[in-house]
Amino acid sequence: MKITVRDLTKSYGGREVLHGVSFTAGAGVTCVMAPSGSGKTTLLRLILGLETPEGGEVAVPAGCRFAAVFQED
C-alpha cells in the first residue's frame, strides 16, 4: 500500500495553510511532525477525505480504508 500526495494546496479564509505539499508514504508507520499551526491536522483531514484540497491530489489505493481517533468530539 502506498499513499501519494502531489502538490497539495489548502487555504482557510484567504490564508494558505498548505502549499505544494508532495510526498509518498509506504506501508508501515509514517510520522508527521511540525510546529503547532503548520497544517498537520489539515493534511491528515485531506488524506482522510474529510476536507477537499484546492489544488493537487491525494492518491490512495482502491479498497484502502482509514481509521482515525480524534482528540475532541
CSV table of all heavy atoms in Angstrom, one decimal:
chain,number,residue,atom,x,y,z
A,1,MET,N,0.8,-1.2,0.0
A,1,MET,CA,0.0,0.0,0.0
A,1,MET,C,0.9,1.2,0.0
A,1,MET,O,1.9,1.3,0.7
A,1,MET,CB,-0.9,0.0,1.2
A,1,MET,CG,-1.8,1.2,1.2
A,1,MET,SD,-2.7,1.4,2.8
A,1,MET,CE,-1.5,2.3,3.8
A,2,LYS,N,0.5,2.2,-0.8
A,2,LYS,CA,1.3,3.5,-0.9
A,2,LYS,C,0.3,4.6,-1.1
A,2,LYS,O,-0.6,4.6,-1.9
A,2,LYS,CB,2.2,3.4,-2.1
A,2,LYS,CG,3.1,4.6,-2.3
A,2,LYS,CD,4.2,4.3,-3.3
A,2,LYS,CE,3.6,4.2,-4.7
A,2,LYS,NZ,4.7,4.1,-5.7
A,3,ILE,N,0.4,5.6,-0.2
A,3,ILE,CA,-0.3,6.9,-0.4
A,3,ILE,C,0.6,7.9,-1.0
A,3,ILE,O,1.7,8.1,-0.5
A,3,ILE,CB,-0.8,7.4,1.0
A,3,ILE,CG1,-1.7,6.3,1.7
A,3,ILE,CG2,-1.5,8.7,0.9
A,3,ILE,CD1,-2.0,6.6,3.1
A,4,THR,N,0.1,8.5,-2.0
A,4,THR,CA,0.8,9.6,-2.7
A,4,THR,C,0.1,10.9,-2.7
A,4,THR,O,-1.1,11.0,-3.0
A,4,THR,CB,1.1,9.2,-4.2
A,4,THR,OG1,1.7,7.9,-4.2
A,4,THR,CG2,2.0,10.2,-4.9
A,5,VAL,N,0.8,11.9,-2.2
A,5,VAL,CA,0.2,13.3,-2.1
A,5,VAL,C,1.1,14.1,-3.1
A,5,VAL,O,2.3,14.1,-3.1
A,5,VAL,CB,0.4,13.8,-0.7
A,5,VAL,CG1,0.0,15.3,-0.7
A,5,VAL,CG2,-0.5,13.0,0.3
A,6,ARG,N,0.3,14.8,-4.0
A,6,ARG,CA,1.0,15.6,-5.1
A,6,ARG,C,0.6,17.0,-5.1
A,6,ARG,O,-0.6,17.3,-5.3
A,6,ARG,CB,0.8,15.0,-6.4
A,6,ARG,CG,1.4,13.7,-6.7
A,6,ARG,CD,1.2,13.2,-8.1
A,6,ARG,NE,1.4,11.8,-8.2
A,6,ARG,CZ,0.4,10.9,-8.3
A,6,ARG,NH1,-0.8,11.3,-8.4
A,6,ARG,NH2,0.7,9.6,-8.4
A,7,ASP,N,1.5,17.9,-4.8
A,7,ASP,CA,1.2,19.4,-5.0
A,7,ASP,C,0.0,19.9,-4.3
A,7,ASP,O,-0.8,20.7,-4.8
A,7,ASP,CB,1.2,19.7,-6.4
A,7,ASP,CG,1.6,21.2,-6.7
A,7,ASP,OD1,2.3,21.8,-5.9
A,7,ASP,OD2,1.1,21.7,-7.7
A,8,LEU,N,-0.3,19.4,-3.0
A,8,LEU,CA,-1.5,19.7,-2.3
A,8,LEU,C,-1.5,21.1,-1.8
A,8,LEU,O,-0.5,21.7,-1.3
A,8,LEU,CB,-1.5,18.8,-1.1
A,8,LEU,CG,-2.9,18.4,-0.5
A,8,LEU,CD1,-3.8,17.7,-1.6
A,8,LEU,CD2,-2.7,17.4,0.6
A,9,THR,N,-2.6,21.8,-2.0
A,9,THR,CA,-2.8,23.2,-1.6
A,9,THR,C,-4.1,23.3,-0.9
A,9,THR,O,-5.1,22.8,-1.3
A,9,THR,CB,-2.8,24.1,-2.8
A,9,THR,OG1,-1.5,24.0,-3.5
A,9,THR,CG2,-2.9,25.6,-2.4
A,10,LYS,N,-4.2,24.1,0.3
A,10,LYS,CA,-5.4,24.3,1.0
A,10,LYS,C,-5.3,25.7,1.7
A,10,LYS,O,-4.3,26.0,2.3
A,10,LYS,CB,-5.6,23.2,2.0
A,10,LYS,CG,-6.9,23.3,2.8
A,10,LYS,CD,-8.1,23.1,2.0
A,10,LYS,CE,-9.4,23.2,2.9
A,10,LYS,NZ,-10.6,23.1,2.1
A,11,SER,N,-6.4,26.4,1.7
A,11,SER,CA,-6.4,27.7,2.4
A,11,SER,C,-7.7,27.8,3.2
A,11,SER,O,-8.7,27.1,2.9
A,11,SER,CB,-6.5,28.9,1.3
A,11,SER,OG,-5.3,28.9,0.5
A,12,TYR,N,-7.7,28.6,4.2
A,12,TYR,CA,-8.8,28.9,5.0
A,12,TYR,C,-8.9,30.5,5.2
A,12,TYR,O,-8.0,31.1,5.6
A,12,TYR,CB,-8.7,28.3,6.4
A,12,TYR,CG,-8.7,26.8,6.5
A,12,TYR,CD1,-7.6,26.1,6.7
A,12,TYR,CD2,-9.9,26.1,6.3
A,12,TYR,CE1,-7.6,24.7,6.7
A,12,TYR,CE2,-10.0,24.8,6.3
A,12,TYR,CZ,-8.8,24.1,6.5
A,12,TYR,OH,-8.9,22.7,6.6
A,13,GLY,N,-10.0,31.0,4.7
A,13,GLY,CA,-10.2,32.5,4.9
A,13,GLY,C,-9.1,33.3,4.2
A,13,GLY,O,-8.7,34.3,4.7
A,14,GLY,N,-8.7,32.8,3.1
A,14,GLY,CA,-7.6,33.5,2.4
A,14,GLY,C,-6.2,33.3,2.9
A,14,GLY,O,-5.2,33.8,2.3
A,15,ARG,N,-6.1,32.5,3.9
A,15,ARG,CA,-4.7,32.2,4.5
A,15,ARG,C,-4.3,30.8,4.0
A,15,ARG,O,-5.0,29.8,4.3
A,15,ARG,CB,-4.7,32.2,6.0
A,15,ARG,CG,-3.4,31.9,6.6
A,15,ARG,CD,-3.4,32.0,8.1
A,15,ARG,NE,-2.1,31.6,8.6
A,15,ARG,CZ,-1.9,30.6,9.4
A,15,ARG,NH1,-2.9,29.8,9.7
A,15,ARG,NH2,-0.7,30.3,9.8
A,16,GLU,N,-3.3,30.7,3.2
A,16,GLU,CA,-2.8,29.5,2.7
A,16,GLU,C,-2.1,28.7,3.8
A,16,GLU,O,-1.2,29.1,4.4
A,16,GLU,CB,-1.8,29.7,1.6
A,16,GLU,CG,-1.6,28.5,0.7
A,16,GLU,CD,-0.9,28.8,-0.6
A,16,GLU,OE1,0.2,29.4,-0.5
A,16,GLU,OE2,-1.4,28.5,-1.6
A,17,VAL,N,-2.7,27.5,4.1
A,17,VAL,CA,-2.2,26.6,5.1
A,17,VAL,C,-1.2,25.6,4.6
A,17,VAL,O,-0.2,25.3,5.2
A,17,VAL,CB,-3.3,25.9,5.8
A,17,VAL,CG1,-2.9,25.0,6.9
A,17,VAL,CG2,-4.3,26.9,6.4
A,18,LEU,N,-1.5,25.0,3.4
A,18,LEU,CA,-0.6,24.1,2.7
A,18,LEU,C,-0.4,24.6,1.3
A,18,LEU,O,-1.3,25.1,0.6
A,18,LEU,CB,-1.3,22.7,2.6
A,18,LEU,CG,-1.6,22.0,4.0
A,18,LEU,CD1,-2.3,20.7,3.7
A,18,LEU,CD2,-0.3,21.7,4.8
A,19,HIS,N,0.9,24.5,0.9
A,19,HIS,CA,1.2,25.0,-0.5
A,19,HIS,C,2.2,24.0,-1.1
A,19,HIS,O,3.3,23.9,-0.6
A,19,HIS,CB,1.8,26.4,-0.5
A,19,HIS,CG,2.2,26.8,-1.8
A,19,HIS,ND1,1.3,27.3,-2.7
A,19,HIS,CD2,3.4,26.9,-2.4
A,19,HIS,CE1,2.0,27.6,-3.8
A,19,HIS,NE2,3.3,27.4,-3.6
A,20,GLY,N,1.8,23.3,-2.1
A,20,GLY,CA,2.7,22.4,-2.9
A,20,GLY,C,3.2,21.2,-2.1
A,20,GLY,O,4.4,20.8,-2.3
A,21,VAL,N,2.5,20.7,-1.2
A,21,VAL,CA,2.9,19.6,-0.4
A,21,VAL,C,2.9,18.3,-1.2
A,21,VAL,O,1.9,17.9,-1.8
A,21,VAL,CB,2.1,19.4,0.9
A,21,VAL,CG1,2.5,18.2,1.7
A,21,VAL,CG2,2.1,20.6,1.8
A,22,SER,N,4.1,17.6,-1.3
A,22,SER,CA,4.2,16.3,-2.0
A,22,SER,C,5.0,15.3,-1.2
A,22,SER,O,6.0,15.7,-0.7
A,22,SER,CB,4.8,16.6,-3.4
A,22,SER,OG,4.1,17.4,-4.2
A,23,PHE,N,4.5,14.1,-1.2
A,23,PHE,CA,5.3,13.0,-0.6
A,23,PHE,C,4.6,11.7,-0.9
A,23,PHE,O,3.5,11.6,-1.3
A,23,PHE,CB,5.4,13.2,1.0
A,23,PHE,CG,4.1,13.1,1.7
A,23,PHE,CD1,3.7,11.9,2.2
A,23,PHE,CD2,3.3,14.2,1.9
A,23,PHE,CE1,2.5,11.8,2.9
A,23,PHE,CE2,2.1,14.1,2.6
A,23,PHE,CZ,1.7,12.9,3.1
A,24,THR,N,5.3,10.6,-0.6
A,24,THR,CA,4.8,9.3,-0.7
A,24,THR,C,5.0,8.6,0.6
A,24,THR,O,6.1,8.6,1.2
A,24,THR,CB,5.5,8.5,-1.8
A,24,THR,OG1,5.3,9.2,-3.1
A,24,THR,CG2,4.9,7.1,-2.0
A,25,ALA,N,4.0,7.9,1.1
A,25,ALA,CA,4.1,7.2,2.4
A,25,ALA,C,3.8,5.7,2.1
A,25,ALA,O,2.7,5.4,1.5
A,25,ALA,CB,3.1,7.7,3.4
A,26,GLY,N,4.7,4.8,2.4
A,26,GLY,CA,4.5,3.4,2.1
A,26,GLY,C,3.9,2.7,3.3
A,26,GLY,O,3.5,3.3,4.3
A,27,ALA,N,3.9,1.4,3.2
A,27,ALA,CA,3.4,0.6,4.3
A,27,ALA,C,4.2,0.8,5.6
A,27,ALA,O,5.4,1.1,5.5
A,27,ALA,CB,3.4,-0.9,3.9
A,28,GLY,N,3.6,0.7,6.7
A,28,GLY,CA,4.3,0.9,8.0
A,28,GLY,C,3.8,2.2,8.7
A,28,GLY,O,2.8,2.8,8.3
A,29,VAL,N,4.7,2.7,9.5
A,29,VAL,CA,4.3,3.9,10.3
A,29,VAL,C,5.0,5.1,9.7
A,29,VAL,O,6.2,5.1,9.3
A,29,VAL,CB,4.9,3.8,11.8
A,29,VAL,CG1,4.6,5.0,12.5
A,29,VAL,CG2,4.2,2.6,12.4
A,30,THR,N,4.2,6.2,9.5
A,30,THR,CA,4.7,7.4,9.0
A,30,THR,C,4.4,8.5,10.0
A,30,THR,O,3.2,8.6,10.5
A,30,THR,CB,4.0,7.8,7.7
A,30,THR,OG1,4.3,6.8,6.7
A,30,THR,CG2,4.5,9.2,7.2
A,31,CYS,N,5.3,9.3,10.4
A,31,CYS,CA,5.2,10.3,11.4
A,31,CYS,C,5.2,11.7,10.8
A,31,CYS,O,6.0,12.0,10.0
A,31,CYS,CB,6.3,10.2,12.4
A,31,CYS,SG,6.2,11.4,13.8
A,32,VAL,N,4.2,12.5,11.1
A,32,VAL,CA,4.1,13.9,10.6
A,32,VAL,C,4.4,14.8,11.8
A,32,VAL,O,3.7,14.8,12.8
A,32,VAL,CB,2.7,14.2,10.1
A,32,VAL,CG1,2.6,15.6,9.6
A,32,VAL,CG2,2.3,13.2,8.9
A,33,MET,N,5.5,15.5,11.7
A,33,MET,CA,6.0,16.4,12.8
A,33,MET,C,6.2,17.8,12.2
A,33,MET,O,6.9,17.9,11.2
A,33,MET,CB,7.2,15.8,13.5
A,33,MET,CG,7.1,14.5,14.1
A,33,MET,SD,8.6,13.8,14.8
A,33,MET,CE,9.1,15.0,15.9
A,34,ALA,N,5.7,18.8,12.9
A,34,ALA,CA,5.9,20.2,12.5
A,34,ALA,C,5.4,21.0,13.7
A,34,ALA,O,4.7,20.6,14.5
A,34,ALA,CB,5.2,20.5,11.2
A,35,PRO,N,5.8,22.3,13.7
A,35,PRO,CA,5.3,23.2,14.8
A,35,PRO,C,3.8,23.3,14.7
A,35,PRO,O,3.1,23.1,13.7
A,35,PRO,CB,5.9,24.5,14.4
A,35,PRO,CG,7.1,24.2,13.5
A,35,PRO,CD,6.7,23.0,12.8
A,36,SER,N,3.2,23.7,15.9
A,36,SER,CA,1.8,24.0,16.0
A,36,SER,C,1.3,25.0,15.0
A,36,SER,O,2.0,26.0,14.7
A,36,SER,CB,1.5,24.5,17.4
A,36,SER,OG,0.1,24.8,17.6
A,37,GLY,N,0.2,24.7,14.3
A,37,GLY,CA,-0.3,25.7,13.4
A,37,GLY,C,0.2,25.6,12.0
A,37,GLY,O,-0.1,26.4,11.1
A,38,SER,N,1.0,24.5,11.7
A,38,SER,CA,1.7,24.4,10.4
A,38,SER,C,0.9,23.6,9.4
A,38,SER,O,1.3,23.5,8.2
A,38,SER,CB,3.1,23.8,10.6
A,38,SER,OG,3.0,22.5,11.1
A,39,GLY,N,-0.3,23.0,9.8
A,39,GLY,CA,-1.1,22.4,8.8
A,39,GLY,C,-1.1,20.8,8.9
A,39,GLY,O,-1.7,20.2,8.1
A,40,LYS,N,-0.6,20.3,10.0
A,40,LYS,CA,-0.6,18.8,10.2
A,40,LYS,C,-2.0,18.2,10.2
A,40,LYS,O,-2.3,17.3,9.5
A,40,LYS,CB,0.1,18.4,11.5
A,40,LYS,CG,1.5,18.8,11.6
A,40,LYS,CD,2.1,18.4,12.9
A,40,LYS,CE,1.4,19.0,14.1
A,40,LYS,NZ,1.6,20.5,14.3
A,41,THR,N,-2.9,18.8,11.0
A,41,THR,CA,-4.3,18.3,11.0
A,41,THR,C,-5.0,18.5,9.7
A,41,THR,O,-5.7,17.6,9.2
A,41,THR,CB,-5.1,19.0,12.2
A,41,THR,OG1,-4.4,18.7,13.4
A,41,THR,CG2,-6.5,18.5,12.2
A,42,THR,N,-4.8,19.6,9.1
A,42,THR,CA,-5.4,19.9,7.7
A,42,THR,C,-4.9,18.8,6.8
A,42,THR,O,-5.7,18.2,6.0
A,42,THR,CB,-5.0,21.3,7.2
A,42,THR,OG1,-5.6,22.2,8.1
A,42,THR,CG2,-5.6,21.5,5.8
A,43,LEU,N,-3.6,18.5,6.8
A,43,LEU,CA,-3.0,17.5,5.9
A,43,LEU,C,-3.7,16.1,6.1
A,43,LEU,O,-4.2,15.5,5.2
A,43,LEU,CB,-1.5,17.4,6.1
A,43,LEU,CG,-0.9,16.2,5.4
A,43,LEU,CD1,-1.0,16.4,3.9
A,43,LEU,CD2,0.6,16.1,5.8
A,44,LEU,N,-3.9,15.7,7.4
A,44,LEU,CA,-4.5,14.4,7.7
A,44,LEU,C,-6.0,14.4,7.3
A,44,LEU,O,-6.5,13.4,6.8
A,44,LEU,CB,-4.3,14.1,9.2
A,44,LEU,CG,-2.8,13.9,9.6
A,44,LEU,CD1,-2.7,13.7,11.1
A,44,LEU,CD2,-2.2,12.7,8.8
A,45,ARG,N,-6.7,15.5,7.5
A,45,ARG,CA,-8.1,15.6,7.1
A,45,ARG,C,-8.2,15.5,5.6
A,45,ARG,O,-9.2,14.9,5.1
A,45,ARG,CB,-8.7,16.9,7.6
A,45,ARG,CG,-8.9,16.9,9.1
A,45,ARG,CD,-9.5,18.2,9.6
A,45,ARG,NE,-10.8,18.4,9.1
A,45,ARG,CZ,-12.0,17.8,9.6
A,45,ARG,NH1,-11.9,17.0,10.6
A,45,ARG,NH2,-13.1,18.1,9.1
A,46,LEU,N,-7.3,16.1,4.8
A,46,LEU,CA,-7.3,15.9,3.4
A,46,LEU,C,-7.0,14.5,3.0
A,46,LEU,O,-7.7,14.0,2.1
A,46,LEU,CB,-6.2,16.8,2.8
A,46,LEU,CG,-6.6,18.3,2.8
A,46,LEU,CD1,-5.3,19.2,2.5
A,46,LEU,CD2,-7.7,18.7,1.9
A,47,ILE,N,-6.1,13.8,3.6
A,47,ILE,CA,-5.8,12.4,3.3
A,47,ILE,C,-7.0,11.5,3.6
A,47,ILE,O,-7.3,10.6,2.8
A,47,ILE,CB,-4.5,11.9,4.0
A,47,ILE,CG1,-3.3,12.7,3.5
A,47,ILE,CG2,-4.4,10.4,3.9
A,47,ILE,CD1,-2.0,12.4,4.3
A,48,LEU,N,-7.7,11.8,4.7
A,48,LEU,CA,-8.8,11.0,5.1
A,48,LEU,C,-10.1,11.3,4.3
A,48,LEU,O,-11.1,10.6,4.3
A,48,LEU,CB,-9.2,11.3,6.6
A,48,LEU,CG,-8.2,10.7,7.6
A,48,LEU,CD1,-8.5,11.3,9.0
A,48,LEU,CD2,-8.3,9.2,7.6
A,49,GLY,N,-10.0,12.4,3.5
A,49,GLY,CA,-11.2,12.8,2.7
A,49,GLY,C,-12.2,13.6,3.4
A,49,GLY,O,-13.3,13.8,2.9
A,50,LEU,N,-11.9,14.1,4.6
A,50,LEU,CA,-12.8,14.9,5.3
A,50,LEU,C,-12.8,16.4,4.9
A,50,LEU,O,-13.7,17.2,5.2
A,50,LEU,CB,-12.4,14.9,6.8
A,50,LEU,CG,-12.5,13.5,7.5
A,50,LEU,CD1,-11.9,13.6,8.9
A,50,LEU,CD2,-13.9,12.9,7.4
A,51,GLU,N,-11.8,16.8,4.1
A,51,GLU,CA,-11.7,18.1,3.5
A,51,GLU,C,-11.3,17.9,2.0
A,51,GLU,O,-10.8,16.9,1.6
A,51,GLU,CB,-10.5,18.9,4.2
A,51,GLU,CG,-10.6,19.1,5.6
A,51,GLU,CD,-11.3,20.4,6.0
A,51,GLU,OE1,-11.4,21.3,5.1
A,51,GLU,OE2,-11.6,20.6,7.2
A,52,THR,N,-11.6,19.0,1.2
A,52,THR,CA,-11.3,18.9,-0.2
A,52,THR,C,-10.2,19.9,-0.5
A,52,THR,O,-10.2,21.1,-0.1
A,52,THR,CB,-12.5,19.4,-1.0
A,52,THR,OG1,-13.6,18.5,-0.7
A,52,THR,CG2,-12.3,19.3,-2.5
A,53,PRO,N,-9.1,19.4,-1.1
A,53,PRO,CA,-8.0,20.3,-1.5
A,53,PRO,C,-8.4,21.3,-2.5
A,53,PRO,O,-9.3,21.1,-3.4
A,53,PRO,CB,-6.9,19.4,-2.0
A,53,PRO,CG,-7.6,18.2,-2.5
A,53,PRO,CD,-8.9,18.1,-1.6
A,54,GLU,N,-7.8,22.5,-2.5
A,54,GLU,CA,-8.0,23.5,-3.5
A,54,GLU,C,-7.1,23.2,-4.8
A,54,GLU,O,-7.4,23.6,-5.9
A,54,GLU,CB,-7.7,24.9,-3.0
A,54,GLU,CG,-8.7,25.3,-1.9
A,54,GLU,CD,-8.2,26.5,-1.1
A,54,GLU,OE1,-7.1,27.0,-1.4
A,54,GLU,OE2,-9.0,26.8,-0.2
A,55,GLY,N,-6.1,22.5,-4.6
A,55,GLY,CA,-5.2,22.1,-5.6
A,55,GLY,C,-4.4,20.8,-5.3
A,55,GLY,O,-4.3,20.5,-4.1
A,56,GLY,N,-4.0,20.1,-6.3
A,56,GLY,CA,-3.2,18.9,-6.0
A,56,GLY,C,-4.1,17.7,-5.8
A,56,GLY,O,-5.4,17.8,-6.1
A,57,GLU,N,-3.5,16.6,-5.4
A,57,GLU,CA,-4.4,15.4,-5.3
A,57,GLU,C,-3.8,14.4,-4.2
A,57,GLU,O,-2.6,14.5,-3.9
A,57,GLU,CB,-4.5,14.6,-6.6
A,57,GLU,CG,-3.2,14.0,-7.1
A,57,GLU,CD,-3.4,13.2,-8.4
A,57,GLU,OE1,-4.5,12.7,-8.6
A,57,GLU,OE2,-2.4,13.1,-9.1
A,58,VAL,N,-4.6,13.6,-3.7
A,58,VAL,CA,-4.2,12.5,-2.8
A,58,VAL,C,-4.6,11.2,-3.5
A,58,VAL,O,-5.8,11.0,-3.8
A,58,VAL,CB,-5.0,12.6,-1.4
A,58,VAL,CG1,-4.6,11.5,-0.5
A,58,VAL,CG2,-4.6,13.9,-0.7
A,59,ALA,N,-3.7,10.4,-3.7
A,59,ALA,CA,-3.9,9.1,-4.4
A,59,ALA,C,-3.8,8.0,-3.4
A,59,ALA,O,-2.7,7.8,-2.8
A,59,ALA,CB,-2.9,8.9,-5.6
A,60,VAL,N,-4.9,7.2,-3.2
A,60,VAL,CA,-4.9,6.1,-2.3
A,60,VAL,C,-5.3,4.9,-3.0
A,60,VAL,O,-6.2,4.9,-3.9
A,60,VAL,CB,-6.0,6.4,-1.2
A,60,VAL,CG1,-6.1,5.3,-0.2
A,60,VAL,CG2,-5.6,7.7,-0.4
A,61,PRO,N,-4.7,3.7,-2.8
A,61,PRO,CA,-5.1,2.5,-3.5
A,61,PRO,C,-6.5,2.2,-3.4
A,61,PRO,O,-7.1,2.4,-2.3
A,61,PRO,CB,-4.2,1.4,-2.8
A,61,PRO,CG,-3.1,2.2,-2.2
A,61,PRO,CD,-3.7,3.5,-1.8
A,62,ALA,N,-7.1,1.6,-4.4
A,62,ALA,CA,-8.5,1.2,-4.4
A,62,ALA,C,-8.7,0.2,-3.3
A,62,ALA,O,-7.9,-0.7,-3.0
A,62,ALA,CB,-8.9,0.6,-5.7
A,63,GLY,N,-9.8,0.4,-2.5
A,63,GLY,CA,-10.2,-0.5,-1.5
A,63,GLY,C,-9.5,-0.2,-0.1
A,63,GLY,O,-9.7,-0.8,0.9
A,64,CYS,N,-8.6,0.8,-0.1
A,64,CYS,CA,-7.9,1.2,1.1
A,64,CYS,C,-8.9,1.9,2.0
A,64,CYS,O,-9.7,2.8,1.6
A,64,CYS,CB,-6.8,2.1,0.7
A,64,CYS,SG,-5.8,2.6,2.2
A,65,ARG,N,-8.9,1.5,3.3
A,65,ARG,CA,-9.8,2.2,4.3
A,65,ARG,C,-8.9,2.7,5.4
A,65,ARG,O,-7.9,2.2,5.8
A,65,ARG,CB,-10.7,1.1,4.9
A,65,ARG,CG,-11.6,0.6,3.8
A,65,ARG,CD,-12.6,-0.5,4.3
A,65,ARG,NE,-13.4,0.1,5.4
A,65,ARG,CZ,-14.1,-0.6,6.2
A,65,ARG,NH1,-14.1,-1.9,6.2
A,65,ARG,NH2,-14.8,0.0,7.2
A,66,PHE,N,-9.4,3.9,5.9
A,66,PHE,CA,-8.7,4.6,7.0
A,66,PHE,C,-9.5,4.6,8.3
A,66,PHE,O,-10.7,4.5,8.2
A,66,PHE,CB,-8.4,6.0,6.7
A,66,PHE,CG,-7.4,6.2,5.5
A,66,PHE,CD1,-7.9,6.6,4.3
A,66,PHE,CD2,-6.1,5.9,5.7
A,66,PHE,CE1,-7.0,6.8,3.3
A,66,PHE,CE2,-5.2,6.1,4.6
A,66,PHE,CZ,-5.7,6.5,3.4
A,67,ALA,N,-8.8,4.7,9.4
A,67,ALA,CA,-9.5,4.8,10.7
A,67,ALA,C,-8.7,5.9,11.4
A,67,ALA,O,-7.5,6.1,11.3
A,67,ALA,CB,-9.5,3.6,11.5
A,68,ALA,N,-9.5,6.8,12.2
A,68,ALA,CA,-8.8,7.9,12.9
A,68,ALA,C,-9.5,8.0,14.3
A,68,ALA,O,-10.7,7.8,14.4
A,68,ALA,CB,-8.9,9.2,12.1
A,69,VAL,N,-8.8,8.4,15.2
A,69,VAL,CA,-9.3,8.7,16.6
A,69,VAL,C,-9.0,10.2,16.8
A,69,VAL,O,-7.9,10.6,16.8
A,69,VAL,CB,-8.7,7.9,17.7
A,69,VAL,CG1,-9.2,8.3,19.0
A,69,VAL,CG2,-8.9,6.4,17.4
A,70,PHE,N,-10.1,11.0,17.0
A,70,PHE,CA,-9.9,12.4,17.2
A,70,PHE,C,-9.8,12.8,18.7
A,70,PHE,O,-10.3,12.1,19.5
A,70,PHE,CB,-11.1,13.2,16.6
A,70,PHE,CG,-11.2,13.0,15.1
A,70,PHE,CD1,-12.0,12.0,14.6
A,70,PHE,CD2,-10.5,13.7,14.2
A,70,PHE,CE1,-12.1,11.7,13.2
A,70,PHE,CE2,-10.5,13.5,12.9
A,70,PHE,CZ,-11.3,12.5,12.3
A,71,GLN,N,-9.1,13.9,19.0
A,71,GLN,CA,-8.8,14.3,20.3
A,71,GLN,C,-10.1,14.9,20.9
A,71,GLN,O,-10.3,14.9,22.1
A,71,GLN,CB,-7.7,15.3,20.4
A,71,GLN,CG,-6.4,14.7,20.1
A,71,GLN,CD,-5.2,15.7,20.1
A,71,GLN,OE1,-5.5,16.9,20.4
A,71,GLN,NE2,-4.0,15.3,19.9
A,72,GLU,N,-10.9,15.5,20.1
A,72,GLU,CA,-12.1,16.2,20.6
A,72,GLU,C,-13.3,15.6,19.9
A,72,GLU,O,-13.2,15.0,18.8
A,72,GLU,CB,-12.0,17.7,20.3
A,72,GLU,CG,-10.8,18.3,21.0
A,72,GLU,CD,-10.6,19.8,20.6
A,72,GLU,OE1,-11.5,20.3,20.0
A,72,GLU,OE2,-9.6,20.3,21.0
A,73,ASP,N,-14.5,15.9,20.4
A,73,ASP,CA,-15.8,15.4,19.8
A,73,ASP,C,-16.0,16.1,18.5
A,73,ASP,O,-15.7,17.2,18.3
A,73,ASP,CB,-17.0,15.7,20.7
A,73,ASP,CG,-16.9,14.9,21.9
A,73,ASP,OD1,-16.2,13.9,21.9
A,73,ASP,OD2,-17.6,15.3,22.9
